[in-house]
Amino acid sequence: MKNVVIIGSGLGGLTAGNLLAKKGHKVTIFEAHSMPGGYTAGFYRKGYYFESGTVSLEASASVFKVMEEIGVLDKIDFVKLKNRFFSEDFDGTPENFDEYKKMIYEGFPSDKEKLYMFFSDMDKISVLFEDADKPMPFLYNGLDRIKSMVPYILSGPKLMRLAKQYGDMTSSELAARYFDKDSKLFRLYKGSGYADAQALFVAGGLSAMFEDMWTVKDGMQSWADVLAENFRELGGDLKLKSYVDKIITKNGAAVGVSCNNTVYEADYVISAGDYKKTFLELLDDKSLIPRAMRDKIGSAAVSEGFFTVYLGLNMPNEKLGEYMKAPHAFICDEKPGCDIYNSEDGEYFSKSAVSLYSPSMVNPRLAPEGKSSLMLQTVVPYRWMNNWGGGDREVYGQLKEKAMDALIGSASRMIPGLKECIGYKDAATPLTYERFTRNTDGASSAWSWNPRKKFYNSPMSLKIDTPVKNLYIGSCWAMQIGGIPGALAAAYQCASRIS
């Protein structure tokens, strides 16, 4: 039996904790927040439930495999999520990629030839994701892992050609191949949720929206709570409101952590949180990390953070449903001049595209009777407006209010009279997310998705090992693009390594 300490109770930490506790190890999870979940958490305000940040998940085959292995799959109600796409030129809730393409063709009839070439290339790239309906090879060991890799090995030459052609291309460069810069179509496809994402993931992202987008009926927090309860039943110790301030090392190996002036010894330490903070802040002996690597960690770009508006509406779910038509909707009209790299643009939020998500449309019990809940979300320039006011609380409040009003104004195009129906209103900025998740700059999905800003050489590699013996990375930060798949893969491999 090993004594394992895990820092962080996001999906990675909870998954690693469950897998290790199930195998009989002594496991303690330290969580700085008052509840588990990290980005896959949620909360109630005045009877309304909201997701903290993450509203959906992909890679369902991987998710279901791990939850089944832990023994909790039947306790979590995963449901498919429908999406609506709304703009000045198109409006629909397509059931599949072909219906989506038809909608876009009809919205831009004069660009049909350009769109045909664009979608033809998307179809070619999508071969990379043909096996997305199967669990990731990282979720197997030994012979089973080799078997799971066979499809990738057989399609290797084709994958290499595509990777060579598109691997270092950004989504902006891909869009510029087909559409005039600053045209509506260019703005629509220049990003895949994140600015200048790797072109390969544009096709994958579009495909996943129709074939593999899920949410949790009772909210993401219920998922985290099920994992936390199961962990405790297995004998694990989950310490909430317990901020780890130091990873303790001896002779080049991790031997424990310090929390609330108490030292907890361990045979292994899993950092299931932010990579930068792990090595630049928590590690007691920075000399264990070579100077070149420390510099690389410090300068590495992270994924953009979210700005999220939480609205409790004095509007019945039925009425909200008439307006939204699907629980998840995208207002795709990014305005000219919207620049994710311009942190000094005070009008950014009036120009950005915005997504809408209603937890109560998925489950009416997540809002008071006769009312509904709504979230508005967009990605944000790094450290917008002097990092939201440069520490001045009054300026911070003014900027937050301005950004909320802008997104509410955009959403009012889809939901007439929205402003008059608001009974509760609040928002989370990247500073909010950094405070609660400890992710640098509120990063929403680990490292940058831009292929020019890679921390790892391969966007699909998994790196749980560190220069410190017995210290592993068990969070989404073990993979370049992170997210839920990255967190699960890292957790699984950490548990396998220790066992």
Side-chain angles (χ1 to χ4, degrees), residues 274-322:
D274 180 275
Y275 197 103
K276 288 176 176 263
K277 287 185 169 61
T278 297
F279 297 107
L280 303 183
E281 296 182 17
L282 298 184
L283 192 64
D284 65 348
D285 184 358
K286 309 296 189 296
S287 69
L288 294 173
I289 309 300
R291 167 58 68 180
M293 184 176 179
R294 270 184 281 161
D295 291 343
K296 181 181 179 181
I297 294 170
S299 61
V302 300
S303 56
E304 289 82 1
F306 291 140
F307 178 73
T308 307
V309 180
Y310 307 106
L311 301 176
L313 304 180
N314 298 316
M315 177 188 293
N317 265 306
E318 294 77 15
K319 191 66 176 177
L320 181 61
E322 289 177 13

Side-chain angles (χ1 to χ4, degrees), residues 30 48 104 125 128 212 241 249 332 348 354 387 400 487:
F30 292 83
Y48 299 97
I104 300 298
I125 297 173
L128 283 169
D212 197 27
K241 298 182 181 179
T249 61
C332 304
Y348 172 82
V354 58
N387 206 20
K400 184 176 170 181

Side-chain angles (χ1 to χ4, degrees), residues 147-216:
K147 289 179 180 177
S148 73
M149 294 179 67
V150 170
Y152 300 93
I153 294 171
L154 294 176
S155 58
K158 186 184 294 184
L159 299 181
M160 288 181 66
R161 285 196 301 272
L162 289 169
K164 185 175 182 180
Q165 187 174 358
Y166 299 102
D168 291 325
M169 184 184 294
T170 68
S171 51
S172 290
E173 292 168 337
L174 179 69
R177 277 189 167 190
Y178 312 95
F179 313 118
D180 296 334
K181 282 194 174 182
D182 296 325
S183 66
K184 288 182 178 180
L185 284 169
F186 175 80
R187 293 197 298 273
L188 181 62
Y189 293 115
K190 71 176 184 178
S192 179
Y194 294 102
D196 283 322
Q198 189 174 38
L200 293 172
F201 294 114
V202 176
L206 284 172
S207 176
M209 282 186 181
F210 308 109
E211 298 175 10
D212 197 27
M213 181 171 278
W214 299 72
T215 193
V216 180

Side-chain angles (χ1 to χ4, degrees), residues 55-72:
V55 303
S56 63
L57 60 104
E58 299 84 36
S60 60
S62 295
V63 172
F64 298 163
K65 178 187 184 302
V66 176
M67 294 305 107
E68 185 172 28
E69 188 164 332
I70 291 172
V72 298

Side-chain angles (χ1 to χ4, degrees), residues 176-376:
R177 277 189 167 190
Y178 312 95
F179 313 118
D180 296 334
K181 282 194 174 182
D182 296 325
S183 66
K184 288 182 178 180
L185 284 169
F186 175 80
R187 293 197 298 273
L188 181 62
Y189 293 115
K190 71 176 184 178
S192 179
Y194 294 102
D196 283 322
Q198 189 174 38
L200 293 172
F201 294 114
V202 176
L206 284 172
S207 176
M209 282 186 181
F210 308 109
E211 298 175 10
D212 197 27
M213 181 171 278
W214 299 72
T215 193
V216 180
K217 184 176 181 179
D218 294 320
M220 291 287 179
Q221 185 62 55
S222 70
W223 186 7
D225 290 343
V226 165
L227 286 170
E229 180 182 0
N230 194 74
F231 173 66
R232 289 184 174 116
E233 289 175 353
L234 290 169
D237 184 8
L238 173 58
K239 296 182 181 297
L240 300 175
K241 298 182 181 179
S242 301
Y243 174 66
V244 168
D245 54 54
K246 188 184 298 181
I247 296 172
I248 300 169
T249 61
K250 184 177 180 181
N251 298 325
V255 296
V257 300
S258 170
C259 174
N260 296 328
N261 298 315
T262 301
V263 172
Y264 296 84
E265 296 181 350
D267 298 311
Y268 294 90
V269 175
I270 297 174
S271 177
D274 180 275
Y275 197 103
K276 288 176 176 263
K277 287 185 169 61
T278 297
F279 297 107
L280 303 183
E281 296 182 17
L282 298 184
L283 192 64
D284 65 348
D285 184 358
K286 309 296 189 296
S287 69
L288 294 173
I289 309 300
R291 167 58 68 180
M293 184 176 179
R294 270 184 281 161
D295 291 343
K296 181 181 179 181
I297 294 170
S299 61
V302 300
S303 56
E304 289 82 1
F306 291 140
F307 178 73
T308 307
V309 180
Y310 307 106
L311 301 176
L313 304 180
N314 298 316
M315 177 188 293
N317 265 306
E318 294 77 15
K319 191 66 176 177
L320 181 61
E322 289 177 13
Y323 290 135
M324 285 187 60
K325 299 180 182 177
H328 200 212
F330 299 90
I331 297 179
C332 304
D333 292 319
E334 182 182 291
K335 302 294 187 297
C338 182
D339 184 359
I340 191 70
Y341 300 112
N342 184 1
S343 297
E344 303 305 316
D345 181 4
E347 304 305 316
Y348 172 82
F349 292 94
S350 64
K351 303 172 186 174
S352 66
V354 58
S355 65
L356 293 76
Y357 177 68
S358 172
S360 64
M361 281 182 63
V362 175
N363 184 351
R365 291 181 298 171
L366 300 182
E369 188 174 353
K371 300 185 179 184
S372 55
S373 58
L374 181 65
M375 296 170 57
L376 314 176

